[in-house]
Amino acid sequence: MKNIVFLLIGLFSISSISQSKNLNLMPWPKEITMQPGNFLINPEFTIGVNKKPSKRIEIATTKFLRRLSGRTGIFIENGFLSKSYNATNNSLNISFENIGKLEINEDESYELNIANNNITIKANTDIGVIYGLETLLQLVTNNDESYYFPNVNIKDAPRFTWRGLMIDVARHFEPVDVLKRNLDAMTSVKMNVFHWHLTDDQGFRIESKTRPKLHELGSDGLYYTQEQIKDIVQYAGDRGIRVVPEVDVPGHGTAILTAFPEIGSKDISYSIERNSGIFDPTLDPTNEKTYEILEDLFGEIAQLFPFKYFHIGGDENEGKHWDENEHIQNFMKANNLKTNHDLQTYFNIRLDKILSKHGKSVMGWEEIMTDKMPTSALIHSWRGVNEGTSGGSSLVKAAKKGHQTVLSNGYYIDLMQSVSDHYLVDPMPKSFNLTTEEKARILGGEATMWSELVTPLNIDSRIWPRTAAIAERFWSDASINDVSNMYKRLRQISFRLEELGITHIRNRDVILRNITNNQNIDALIMLTKVYEPLKIYTRNKGGTEYKTFSPFTLFADACSADASNALLFNSLVSDYISTSSNTSKKKIIDILTNWENNYKQFSQIKNNSPILKSIEPLSKNLSEISKSLISILKTETIKINDYETIKSQYLNIKKPIVDVEFASLNSLKLLIEHFSTKNKLKLDLNNPKIQH
Amino acid sequence: MKNIVFLLIGLFSISSISQSKNLNLMPWPKEITMQPGNFLINPEFTIGVNKKPSKRIEIATTKFLRRLSGRTGIFIENGFLSKSYNATNNSLNISFENIGKLEINEDESYELNIANNNITIKANTDIGVIYGLETLLQLVTNNDESYYFPNVNIKDAPRFTWRGLMIDVARHFEPVDVLKRNLDAMTSVKMNVFHWHLTDDQGFRIESKTRPKLHELGSDGLYYTQEQIKDIVQYAGDRGIRVVPEVDVPGHGTAILTAFPEIGSKDISYSIERNSGIFDPTLDPTNEKTYEILEDLFGEIAQLFPFKYFHIGGDENEGKHWDENEHIQNFMKANNLKTNHDLQTYFNIRLDKILSKHGKSVMGWEEIMTDKMPTSALIHSWRGVNEGTSGGSSLVKAAKKGHQTVLSNGYYIDLMQSVSDHYLVDPMPKSFNLTTEEKARILGGEATMWSELVTPLNIDSRIWPRTAAIAERFWSDASINDVSNMYKRLRQISFRLEELGITHIRNRDVILRNITNNQNIDALIMLTKVYEPLKIYTRNKGGTEYKTFSPFTLFADACSADASNALLFNSLVSDYISTSSNTSKKKIIDILTNWENNYKQFSQIKNNSPILKSIEPLSKNLSEISKSLISILKTETIKINDYETIKSQYLNIKKPIVDVEFASLNSLKLLIEHFSTKNKLKLDLNNPKIQH
C-alpha cells in the first residue's frame, strides 16, 4: 500500500512539472508545485485581508479586480476589498505583516496557494502581496466553459534586490502618463527600481524652485513640475518601486549650461543640444558657483525622492574644455590633481558631501570609480564586457573594491537587439571567484532606455516586451535560461501588457495608417514582421541624422526587435538544414509564398506617397528573392543560370533601406549555401563573381 | 479681350468650387477660394511671426512642425519658430495683434493665404492663429512625388462663440492625459469650451483644501489635485479653450453627502453610488452648514478657473427627501416657498451670491430657470425638443426671458446614435421668430460625454469622430449640411485624430485581442463594422446592469456608432431598391458573401472562451441570413419554402445580443420586402405566420 502511494506521488509530481511548463509566468517563480483541480472565477469573487490594508494593498486589490473583470468579462459584484478584516471565507485571503520599506534588500517574498476553492497570498510585506497578485493574474486560464486559476502552490522571492529600468527623459521628454503606465508594467514583471535620467545635453526636465532658469531655459518647456515628480514617486512607491533621480554632471551638461553659462568650463554661449552623441560642454569643477547651484538643486531634489540613492551621472566626460581652460589647469596643479579623472573625483567627492547632508548616497556611472572615490558610492556598470577580460568588468572591480554595484552592460534596450541577447546576460559573473561578501555587493541590474530615437509614440515598443525577459533574469534563478521557453511565455506576457495601457502593440498600426494615409495596412504589417530597426547605433549614424525634433513616425518606428515571422522562418530553416524535414520545407515554402505575394498586395495601396515609395523596395526585394527560393526549394537545386539573379537578389535585400534590416538574412544565406553545396558548387554571396 | 478674361475667371471659379469640395476640411470655413498651384513642403520649411510670440503661438507652432514632420516623414531642419521677428521670408508668416482673452465673443477669426510659394496666417488674436494652423494641417496633401498645400485663400470665423464638449469624470474618472489629448482634439476642430462635470453621485473629483473629506471620502482616491486642475486649465487656455467647472448640486449629491452626511436632506448614511440613474440624496438648502461648505468649496474652485462661468448643475432634483423632511417643509412654509422648485431657486440664488463675490456667473442645467432666477444665469438646455412644441424648448424660453443659453439637447454623444442624428441639429431655432437680441443670447452648444459606460479605454471612441461633426455645426454656416459630404470628410478627420493621441481607432483591436486571447481578430474586426452598441439608455437598462466597476472591455466597447460596413451596405441597398442598378446589386452580393464567410473565419479562432462563445451568434446569424439573401438576390425571387427560414433568420439577427445591434437591419428588411412584393406576396417579418 505504501508503495502505491509513493508511486502515485511520483506520477503526480512528473505530471505537475510538465503542467507547470504550460504556465505563462514571467518572471518564473522560485518554487512551483501544481496541485490537482482549479479555482473557478465567478461573479461572487471576493478579496479579504488579515488587517487594515495599506494604501498599496488597497490600490493593488482594486486594480486586480478591474483587470480580472476586464480580462474575463465577468461582472464581479464586489468592486473593492472586503471591509471586514481577518475573515478567511473570501475567495482570496491576503495576509501580510508589515508595510514594505523602499530600501534595498527589503523582503519581497510571497507565497501563493490555490487549493480547495480557496486562494491565499501570504507575505511579510505588502510589496510581497502585490507580487503575489501579479502572479495570480498571470495564472488566469480558460476553457470554453469558464475562466479559472489552476490549483498551485508558489513560493517566490527575488534573486536580486535591484531590478531596475532606466528611462531617459532628456533626449525626448516623456509625459507623466507614459511613465505611469511603464511603472505599472514594471510591477507586473516584479521590477522595483525606476531610474529617472532627468538631465542631459538635450534637456533639463526638473522644475527648480531655487534655480528656475534651469527648467525655464533648459527644457523647451518640457519638464516635470515638482508636484508631478511627487506624484510619480508616490505612484511608484504605491507599486513597490523605488525611484532614483539622475542629474548627469559634469559632462552631459549642455542644458544646465544653457541656463548657467557662467559655470561652464569654456567661455562660450550654450544652447540646448539637438543632436545625439558626446558633447564638450562640461561644468567647471573649480568654480565655487558650480557647487552653489548644485547644492541648491540637489537639496530640492533630495526632498522629492525618499530613496537613498542619488545618481550623479559622471559618464563620458572627455574633459576637452578642461584641457583648454588655463584657470582649470592651474587649479589642478595647485591641488595636485594630475589627471582629468582626479579632477572629476575632486568634483564627485564634493557632490558626495552635499548629498550626505541630505542623507543620500551617491550613485554614478562607472567612470566615477577612481581610487579616491569613497566606497559608499554605488557603481553603475555600463561599459565593456562582463566576463573574460583580464581585470574583469567594472562590476567585478567595484564589488572587489567594496562598492555596491548594479549592471547595465548587456541590458541596453535602446540598441534594438534581440531579447535573447539580453536574456542570457547574468549580473553575477561566474569566472571571478568572488567572495560571498563581494557577491552580496552586486545588487542586480537595470535595463536602460536611452531616448535618442524614442518618443511617447514608440517608447513602449522599445521597452517591451524585451524588458520582461530582463526582469526575469533579475528575479529568477540563474538556471531559468531556456531561450525558446522564454520566447513562448513572452508572447503571452507581452500581449497582457496591453491591459496596463502599454502601447507597444497598438501603436504599430497607428504609424502604418499614417504612412498609407489610412489605406489598407495589411501588406505593411507583414513587412514589420520580417524587418527590424537597425541595431547598435547604426540607425543614427554620427548622431546627426536624427535630431530631437526629427520624425519618429517612420516605418522603422513601426518595426521592433525580434520580428516574429522572421523568427519563425529562422527556426524552420535551421531545422530543415539539420534534418531535411519535409514538414519544415513545406512550412518554409508557405512563408516564402506569403512573402512573394506581399509585393502584389503592397502595390494595391491606393495612396502612393513619397514615404510609401521609400518603403516599396522592402516589399519588392522580399518578393523577388522569395520567388527564387521557392523554386530552389521545390527543385532542390540552383540552376547555374539563376546564380547571378539570386546573388543580386540577396545583395538587394541585404542592404538596409529606410533604417531597417531584413531579419532572416542569415537564413536566406544558409538556404542558398545549402543548395549550392548540395550541387557541389561554391557560391560566394558577398563576391560579385561566381566561382564554380 | 475683356470677355475672354471674364470667361477664364468664370471657368476658374467653377473649377475652384469643385476643387475645394475635395478638401477634407472640418469645420468647413466661412469663405474658401482655390487658387492655381501648390506650396511644396520641404525640409527648409520655416515659420516666422510678426512680433514676440505669445506662449500659445510658441506651443502651436512647435506642435505644428512636429505634426507636419511626423505626418510626412520630412526631416524639417528648423524644429521651432524663427527667432527673428517680423521677417516675411519664412515659408509661413504669421501675424497677430493681440493675445486672445478667454471670454465669450472673443475674436477667433483668421485669414489663411497660400500663394506664390508663401503662406500667411493673419489674425487679430493668437487664438485665430491657432485655428489657422489647424486648417493648414488639414490641407496637407500628397501625390507620389511630394507633400504640398494647395494654393487657397480662406477667410474664416465661427458662427457661435460657445463650442463646447462636456466630459463627465464623476461616473468614471478620466486621468489627466485622457483630458489633455481630448483638449488637443477639440482645438483641432476649433472647439473652445471644455465643460468639466466634476461631481456626481458616483464621485467627487476635486481635491478640496478647505474640506478635504470631500475628495478623501467621495472619490475612491480618484480625483484631480489642485495642481492638476491648474495644469489642465493652463493646457486648455494655451489651446484657446475655456474651462467651466461643474459642481452638481443640490441633487446628484451622493458623493458630497458621503463626506458630509450632516448636510443631507435625510438622516441616513450615504455611500458613493455604484449604479447609474437618478438618486434621492439631496443637499439640504435649509441648513446653513450647506452654504458654509459650498462657500469654502466654491471659493477654492473659483480661484482655479479663470473663465467667468461656474456650472452648478441643478438637474434632476426630484426632491423626494425634501418632501419627507419635516424641518424642510416647515422652512418652506415659513419662507413662502410653495414648491420644491421655489426651494431650489432659493438655494440657487444663494449660490449665485456666493459666486458673484468671486466674480463668477452661474451656469446651470435648464431646471434652474425659474421665475425668480436672475437672468444673469446662463441656461444649459438639455431636455425636450428644440423645435415644434408650443412654448418652444428651454433654449427658446431662456433666450426670450433674457438668459444667455447653450444647447446640449441633440448632442448627447453618450447615447451612441449616428453622427447624422447630431449633425443636423442646429442650435439656432428656425421657427420662433426670435429678435436679433434674443438670437444673440444663444451662444452655441455643447456635446455631452456622460460617462456611465465610458472608461479611459473606450472614451475616445465615444467622443470621436462624431464630435468633429458637431463642432462643424457650431462653427460653420447653417447651410453646410450635406450629410454624405460630411461623412466623406469625417473619415479623414477621424483618422487624423490619431496623430493627437486619440485612441478611438487603435483601442478597438486592444479589446478584440483580449477577447480572443491574442488570436487572429480579423473575424471580430469585421463584426465591429456591422454591429453597433445599443443606443439611448438601452445598454444599461435601469442603470444597474453595469456598475461603475463593471467590465467595459466587452465586444460592445469595441463597436461604435456608424458601423462603416453597414453604412456602405445601407446606401447600396437604398440605391438598388430605387434604381435596380446591377452594379449596386453586385456590390451587395460581394458584401453579403463577405458576411457569409465570417462565420467560417470566426470558427477558426483557436481560444474558445466564454466571452467568445457569447459573441458567436453575431457571426452565425449574420452568416446565415447573408447566405439566404445571396440566393434571393441572384434569383431575384424568394421561394415560398424558404419563407420560414428567412423570417427566422431575420428575427435572429434582429434580437440584440451582447449589448449590440445589427446596423443594417432595415436594409435586410427592405431587401426581403422588395422581393416579396416583387413576387406579389406579403411577407410580414414581424408576424410569425406567413401571409400569402
Side-chain angles (χ1 to χ4, degrees), chain A residues 70 496 498 513-514 553 608, chain B residues 70 144 496 498 513-514 553:
Chain A
R496 282 296 177 211
E498 289 211 276
R513 278 191 286 273
N514 181 53
T553 52
N608 199 6
Chain B
D144 56 358
R496 282 295 176 211
E498 289 210 277
R513 278 191 287 271
N514 181 53
T553 53

Side-chain angles (χ1 to χ4, degrees), chain A residues 47-257:
Chain A
I47 307 181
V49 65
N50 64 325
K51 58 181 178 182
K52 187 173 181 329
S54 64
K55 187 177 167 212
R56 250 179 221 142
I57 287 183
E58 277 186 352
I59 291 173
T61 50
T62 304
K63 194 82 196 279
F64 174 92
L65 287 167
R66 299 294 172 282
R67 288 164 73 190
L68 184 62
S69 173
R71 198 185 286 185
T72 59
I74 295 172
F75 283 61
I76 297 174
E77 289 158 13
N78 286 288
F80 301 90
L81 197 56
S82 300
K83 290 266 177 268
S84 60
Y85 308 136
N86 216 12
T88 52
N89 58 350
N90 292 290
S91 315
L92 164 58
N93 298 289
I94 292 170
S95 63
F96 76 108
E97 299 305 317
N98 306 306
I99 293 177
K101 296 204 179 89
L102 294 172
E103 297 171 355
I104 60 167
N105 294 321
E106 176 57 297
D107 188 332
E108 299 171 304
S109 68
Y110 67 92
E111 179 176 356
L112 166 65
N113 194 61
I114 311 174
N116 305 319
N117 275 321
N118 192 277
I119 307 171
T120 57
I121 292 176
K122 285 182 190 166
N124 281 327
T125 66
D126 53 359
I127 297 173
V129 171
I130 292 178
Y131 292 152
L133 289 167
E134 292 292 344
T135 300
L136 186 55
L137 275 171
Q138 290 185 354
L139 287 169
V140 176
T141 316
N142 72 277
N143 52 33
D144 56 358
E145 294 299 328
S146 53
Y147 293 92
Y148 62 88
F149 301 113
N151 283 356
V152 70
N153 180 276
I154 290 175
K155 293 188 181 73
D156 203 6
R159 181 172 166 225
F160 292 105
T161 190
W162 192 293
R163 304 179 304 279
L165 171 64
M166 187 210 77
I167 299 180
D168 167 10
V169 297
R171 273 61 178 257
H172 281 100
F173 182 70
E174 304 295 338
V176 168
D177 61 301
V178 174
L179 301 182
K180 283 189 175 176
R181 70 185 185 229
N182 276 286
L183 289 166
D184 280 321
M186 285 173 68
T187 297
S188 79
V189 292
K190 305 185 174 70
M191 297 183 93
N192 67 354
V193 178
F194 168 45
H195 168 181
W196 204 352
H197 185 80
L198 282 157
T199 77
D200 214 303
D201 297 300
Q202 295 83 355
F204 184 93
R205 307 295 182 199
I206 313 157
E207 177 195 27
S208 170
K209 295 192 174 171
T210 61
R211 304 283 177 166
K213 276 205 283 181
L214 284 167
H215 66 272
E216 285 166 7
L217 301 176
S219 77
D220 299 307
L222 300 171
Y223 61 89
Y224 305 97
T225 64
Q226 294 205 356
E227 288 299 321
Q228 287 173 325
I229 292 172
K230 282 182 209 165
D231 182 33
I232 287 284
V233 169
Q234 180 70 47
Y235 193 91
D238 288 342
R239 284 146 187 82
I241 296 174
R242 295 131 188 90
V243 186
V244 180
E246 178 181 350
V247 176
D248 199 349
V249 284
H252 291 276
T254 310
I256 293 172
L257 298 180

Side-chain angles (χ1 to χ4, degrees), chain A residues 634-676:
Chain A
K634 283 187 175 165
T635 60
E636 300 206 351
T637 183
I638 304 184
K639 292 193 200 115
I640 289 184
N641 292 343
D642 294 340
Y643 269 26
E644 281 303 334
T645 310
I646 189 95
K647 192 190 272 189
S648 86
Q649 287 170 342
Y650 176 82
L651 293 173
N652 278 342
I653 203 163
K654 187 182 175 187
K655 199 166 51 192
I657 298 171
V658 296
D659 291 348
V660 297
E661 61 187 26
F662 183 59
S664 287
L665 192 71
N666 197 48
S667 295
L668 297 188
K669 191 162 175 250
L670 288 174
L671 278 178
I672 297 167
E673 285 172 351
H674 176 75
F675 288 107
S676 59

Side-chain angles (χ1 to χ4, degrees), chain B residues 250-252 257 264-268 270 278-285 315-329 332 339-341 343-344:
Chain B
H252 291 277
L257 298 180
S265 299
K266 191 167 183 178
D267 187 15
I268 50 173
Y270 297 90
I278 303 175
F279 303 97
D280 298 329
T282 313
L283 273 57
D284 181 354
D315 55 318
E316 298 182 321
N317 170 26
E318 299 184 346
K320 188 161 168 277
H321 286 186
W322 290 355
D323 297 340
E324 292 167 8
N325 181 320
E326 203 186 317
H327 173 78
I328 292 176
Q329 293 305 313
M332 287 170 72
T339 67
N340 286 339
H341 280 296
L343 179 58
Q344 191 169 342

